[in-house]
Amino acid sequence: MPSIRPPHSIVLLVGREDHTPPASFGGATCVATLDCIAVATLSPVDGPTAVSIVPTAGDRELVTLAELMIESEGQVTVRDVLHRDHDAMGVEPGPVEVRVLANAAVEPDEVVFVVRPGS
C-alpha cells in the first residue's frame, strides 16, 4: 500500500487518461465525475496518506465514503493533482464499480478503492 503526501490533500482515482476531475468538493470528503473520483485526505504537512486499489475490501474496519461507478479505458489509476501515478489496476473497459473506503470520514490518512467491473 503506497504512502504518499498528496499535494492539496487530494487523491484521484481515474478511469481514463483524458479524465475530468470534479470542480469542487462542496463540503464532501469524496466526489466524482463520469471518469474520476476525488478524495480529500489528510494534509501532507500532517503526515502521509496510504492509498491502494484492491479487488475486495477484506476484513478491516473502514468507513464507506461512497459507492460509485466510473468509466474506464481498461485501467484505473491512483493519481495526485500533479498527474503522478501511485497505484494502478487493470480492469475491463467500460463501467467500473468503486467502493471508496477510508479510516476516517474526514481527512483520512488511509484510502482504499475497492474496484470491480460494473455490470
Side-chain angles (χ1 to χ4, degrees), residues 47-95:
T49 297
V51 184
S52 60
I53 305 172
V54 297
T56 60
D59 59 2
R60 302 241 3 256
E61 289 193 26
L62 298 171
V63 176
T64 299
L65 298 180
E67 294 189 28
L68 304 161
M69 188 84 75
I70 62 171
E71 289 291 322
S72 168
E73 293 175 329
Q75 178 170 288
V76 290
T77 306
V78 172
R79 289 198 176 145
D80 60 34
V81 295
L82 300 179
H83 305 287
R84 292 180 295 212
D85 293 353
H86 297 284
D87 200 2
M89 175 188 278
V91 295
E92 290 292 321

Side-chain angles (χ1 to χ4, degrees), residues 1-6 11-14 37 39 41 48-58 60 62-63 65 76-80 85-90 97-103 108-116:
M1 178 178 306
S3 283
I4 61 175
R5 291 180 188 263
V11 294
L12 305 173
L13 182 74
V14 301
I37 298 171
V39 180
T41 64
T49 297
V51 184
S52 60
I53 305 172
V54 297
T56 60
R60 302 241 3 256
L62 298 171
V63 176
L65 298 180
V76 290
T77 306
V78 172
R79 289 198 176 145
D80 60 34
D85 293 353
H86 297 284
D87 200 2
M89 175 188 278
E97 292 179 30
V98 181
R99 187 170 171 209
V100 184
L101 305 175
N103 64 340
D109 64 3
E110 180 180 359
V111 177
V112 177
F113 295 103
V114 181
V115 175
R116 61 190 177 105

Side-chain angles (χ1 to χ4, degrees), residues 13-24:
L13 182 74
V14 301
R16 295 183 180 159
E17 190 61 35
D18 187 21
H19 61 278
T20 304
S24 74

